[in-house]
Amino acid sequence: MIDPQPDFQPVPGHAEPLAPGLRRVLAPNPSPMTFRGTNTYVLGTGALAVIDPGPCSEPHLEAILAAVGPGQHISHILVTHAHLDHSPLARPLAEATGAPVLAFGDARAGRSEMMQQLAETGLAGGGEGVDAGFAPDEELPDGAVIAAEGWRLEAIHTPGHFGNHLSFAWGDVLFSGDLVMGWASSLVSPPDGDLGAFMDSLERLRRTRWSRLHPGHGAPVEAPLDRIDALRAHRRAREAAILAALGEGPADAASLATVIYHDTNPALLPAAARNVLAHLIDLTQRKAVIPLGNLEKNCVFSRA
């Protein structure tokens, strides 16, 4: 498999400076879903904000605490979303520092009515895994501002990859979580992922002239608008491919994934099938396809 970012080789556990007042600490959790690992960001020079503390890892907890220098303390712990590679270390870090955990809401927050209905019928998420017990100390609504000496962040609710997903604006720089990454497109796995919300969030982000995005995984995105537009075009192309495949006859998400993602690592095909299912649910809502039975992961769909 071709490495999408061969020059991005950070050392896990090392607090790497990215800009004045900003450092990145890579978590030791590389995988096909997390790339090199989860990017934990440490913002500030006195009172520090930790963005996405990452997976439950004692070495990573020690690395974050070691990044706190003389005269510094962790004042805020911010979580973009409740996936197992982003949020579990928030509580141990809070217990070690006394800082509150801030997020949009718990692991069920931010779901659309359709996704909530699917969850209630038993549709479970896939991919990175949900941190089902996650709950913040303080909830951050869309537009909330968090600030300390030397830094100010605005919370932007950007559901799509996950219902409770937040991005954080630091001036014209955005911490984009898993919504926009440079190394790969985001997994959208219902009911936690919602393709309609994903496209709406991309459209919202493209209205601002960001200078740089710092994603949850991979290198910084240096041309944000180009990357956002590429992701939107990618999703439209996937939709067209799904509709073309259904033109050959009814099929389920897994069958469609094997046809459409023909050049994908076989280990990622289950995640690809979840992405296809997200498209099929969105197309169902738009009345472009028809589910031939109950709307669930093994449902067969036909063109409308």
Side-chain angles (χ1 to χ4, degrees), residues 29 38 54-56 81-89 128-132:
N29 63 328
T38 300
C56 193
H81 64 291
H83 267 148
L84 289 173
D85 54 328
H86 287 260
S87 58
L89 201 61
E128 294 106 322
V130 175
D131 184 5

Side-chain angles (χ1 to χ4, degrees), residues 171-194:
D172 65 354
V173 171
L174 186 75
F175 297 94
S176 57
D178 282 5
L179 185 79
V180 180
M181 301 179 289
W183 74 281
S185 58
S186 298
L187 173 68
V188 179
S189 178
D192 304 297
D194 183 328

Side-chain angles (χ1 to χ4, degrees), residues 241-295:
I242 289 168
L243 290 173
L246 286 177
E248 301 297 319
D252 63 9
S255 300
L256 290 166
T258 61
V259 173
I260 296 167
Y261 289 80
H262 55 84
D263 57 349
T264 295
N265 181 340
L268 295 177
L269 279 176
R274 301 297 300 200
N275 269 322
V276 172
L277 180 62
H279 276 282
L280 290 167
I281 292 171
D282 181 56
L283 288 166
T284 297
Q285 291 181 285
R286 291 157 49 197
K287 303 188 186 307
V289 304
I290 300 171
L292 305 180
N294 293 330
L295 199 56

Side-chain angles (χ1 to χ4, degrees), residues 84-140:
L84 289 173
D85 54 328
H86 287 260
S87 58
L89 201 61
R91 189 53 54 200
L93 184 60
E95 292 171 355
T97 63
V101 178
L102 289 73
F104 183 78
D106 65 20
R108 298 168 297 278
R111 285 177 176 165
S112 68
E113 183 177 349
M114 165 68 86
M115 294 305 159
Q116 185 58 37
Q117 290 174 358
L118 290 174
E120 290 171 357
T121 62
L123 181 66
E128 294 106 322
V130 175
D131 184 5
F134 174 76
D137 298 313
E138 300 177 24
E139 294 185 355
L140 294 175

